């Protein structure tokens, strides 16, 4: 065993002793890539948003249609994220803790939004609930509007975001196994008590990461929402759609102003994630080793 450990240590040591010029070149390439493809576009968005002054920026984002787009974006996220939270917890718990027929099929369904274009998913909803779709005439006869209305936007957003939470939880739950749950059940705990007092605390950090990613994608979703929204000003335009409309109308200051709000939301999400990792680093590491 000691010989194996020594040989493995030698391999890892050798892998980490590249020549100094190689390390410098790799570092420069990585930093250049990040700067060109990540930082430069982000800086450009904020520069264009504030180029004409803060007053012009404030006027651009306080427009009535823009405020309506902000409210709709928040509403869609407030509905889709909790829905995916419930689904993600239920699906990951079932997949990781139980064996049942159709388990592989369920995992495939969870991964489906990753392989289907968001535009295609939006067209599917149009085919189902549109005026000439399979269920459209029945829904319209009962006064139910899904396509070109808020329910359609919510459904499209839920579809494209529901893998994020489940995919964060499934690997953690599978790695932890079922020993803790079995011990709690042997002591007389009920199924729900085991879930809330044992399973959920063990995966709370992965759950939080999944919620943050899901929320970021829900607020920034464009393709599927663009198909089902109808681009009705002040009613069915989310923030990404509002950016597109303003840009196509050559209102560049307003377009970059709304885009900067979206970028700011993404930065806030990243900052929260970083603070949590720094503040609870030991607890997170202990959870992952569990």
């Amino acid at each position: 065993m000691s010989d194996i450990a020594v040989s493995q240590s030698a391999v890892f040591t050798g892998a980490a002793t590249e020549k100094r010029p190689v390390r410098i070149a790799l570092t420069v390439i990585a930093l250049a890539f990040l700067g060109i493809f990540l930082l430069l576009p982000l800086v450009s968005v904020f520069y264009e948003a504030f180029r004409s002054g803060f007053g012009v920026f404030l006027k651009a984002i306080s427009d009535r249609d823009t405020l309506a787009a902000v409210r709709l974006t928040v509403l869609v996220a407030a509905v889709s994220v909790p829905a995916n939270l419930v689904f993600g917890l239920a699906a990951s718990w079932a997949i990781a803790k139980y064996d049942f027929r159709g388990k592989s099929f369920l995992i495939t369904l969870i991964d489906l939004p990753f392989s289907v274009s968001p535009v295609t998913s939006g067209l599917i909803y149009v085919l189902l609930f549109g005026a000439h779709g399979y269920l459209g005439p029945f829904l319209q006869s009962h006064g139910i509007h899904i396509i070109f209305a808020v329910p359609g936007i919510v459904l499209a957003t839920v579809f494209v975001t529901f893998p994020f939470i489940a995919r964060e939880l499934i690997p953690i739950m599978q790695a932890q196994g079922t020993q803790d749950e079995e011990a709690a059940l042997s002591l007389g705990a009920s199924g729900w008590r085991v879930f809330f007092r044992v399973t959920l605390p063990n995966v709370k950090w992965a759950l939080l990461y999944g919620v943050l990613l899901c929320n970021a994608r829900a607020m920034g979703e464009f393709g599927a929402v663009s198909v089902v929204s109808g681009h009705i000003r002040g009613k069915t335009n989310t923030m990404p759609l509002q950016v597109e409309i303003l840009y196509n109308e050559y209102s560049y200051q307003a377009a970059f102003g709304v885009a900067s709000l979206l970028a700011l939301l993404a930065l806030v999400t990243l900052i929260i994630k970083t603070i949590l990792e720094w503040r609870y680093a030991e607890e997170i590491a202990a959870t992952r080793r569990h």
Side-chain angles (χ1 to χ4, degrees):
M1 293 296 293
S2 61
D3 294 338
I4 295 176
V6 170
S7 63
Q8 289 179 342
S9 175
V11 171
F12 292 130
T13 302
T17 57
E18 297 89 351
K19 294 182 179 180
R20 183 178 178 83
V22 175
R23 295 200 301 269
I24 294 176
L26 292 175
T27 303
V28 170
I29 292 173
L31 292 177
F33 182 86
L34 290 175
I36 294 174
F37 293 100
L38 182 63
L39 295 180
L40 184 60
L42 185 62
V43 171
S44 300
V45 168
F46 284 100
Y47 172 77
E48 293 293 336
F50 292 97
R51 184 173 60 174
S52 300
F54 183 77
V56 177
F57 166 79
L58 189 61
K59 181 179 179 181
I61 65 173
S62 60
D63 177 72
R64 182 181 62 183
D65 292 338
T66 298
L67 292 177
V70 173
R71 288 193 295 269
L72 180 58
T73 301
V74 173
L75 173 62
V76 171
V79 175
S80 59
V81 173
N84 284 318
L85 173 62
V86 174
F87 169 80
L89 278 171
S92 57
W93 191 24
I95 291 171
K97 305 298 183 180
Y98 299 96
D99 290 323
F100 55 91
R101 184 173 299 177
K103 184 175 180 178
S104 299
F105 180 68
L106 178 58
I107 296 175
T108 302
L109 290 180
I110 292 175
D111 291 335
L112 186 62
F114 286 145
S115 58
V116 175
S117 168
V119 175
T120 302
S121 64
L123 288 174
I124 292 173
Y125 282 110
V126 173
L127 180 63
L128 289 174
F129 304 116
H132 302 287
Y134 295 114
L135 302 177
F138 172 80
L139 294 174
Q140 287 189 347
S141 64
H142 290 78
I144 301 174
H145 301 282
I146 295 181
I147 301 302
F148 306 152
V150 175
I153 298 175
V154 172
L155 287 174
T157 304
V158 168
F159 178 82
V160 299
T161 58
F162 81 79
F164 287 93
I165 295 179
R167 268 303 171 191
E168 283 290 328
L169 294 177
I170 290 173
I172 297 295
M173 286 188 174
Q174 288 177 333
Q176 290 174 350
T178 60
Q179 293 85 355
D180 291 347
E181 286 80 5
E182 291 173 354
L185 289 173
S186 66
L187 294 175
S190 63
W192 285 112
R193 189 175 182 85
V194 170
F195 175 76
F196 285 108
R197 302 298 293 271
V198 178
T199 304
L200 197 57
N202 285 342
V203 298
K204 60 183 178 181
W205 298 116
L207 178 62
L208 182 58
Y209 291 160
V211 169
L212 290 174
L213 292 174
C214 181
N215 181 71
R217 178 61 189 274
M219 288 189 170
E221 174 55 31
F222 177 84
V225 172
S226 178
V227 174
V228 301
S229 72
H231 296 78
I232 304 174
R233 287 180 178 271
K235 293 184 177 180
T236 62
N237 272 343
T238 58
M239 293 173 67
L241 300 184
Q242 184 70 6
V243 172
E244 181 197 29
I245 289 178
L246 293 173
Y247 190 84
N248 289 338
E249 293 178 348
Y250 303 103
S251 299
Y252 298 126
Q253 179 75 35
F256 280 104
V258 180
S260 68
L261 293 180
L262 281 172
L264 184 61
L265 290 173
L267 289 176
V268 169
T269 301
L270 181 62
I271 291 172
I272 293 175
K273 180 178 180 294
T274 303
I275 291 175
L276 290 173
E277 289 180 339
W278 170 75
R279 176 66 177 81
Y280 301 99
E282 294 183 359
E283 188 174 348
I284 293 173
T287 300
R288 289 176 177 174
R289 289 194 302 266
H290 181 73

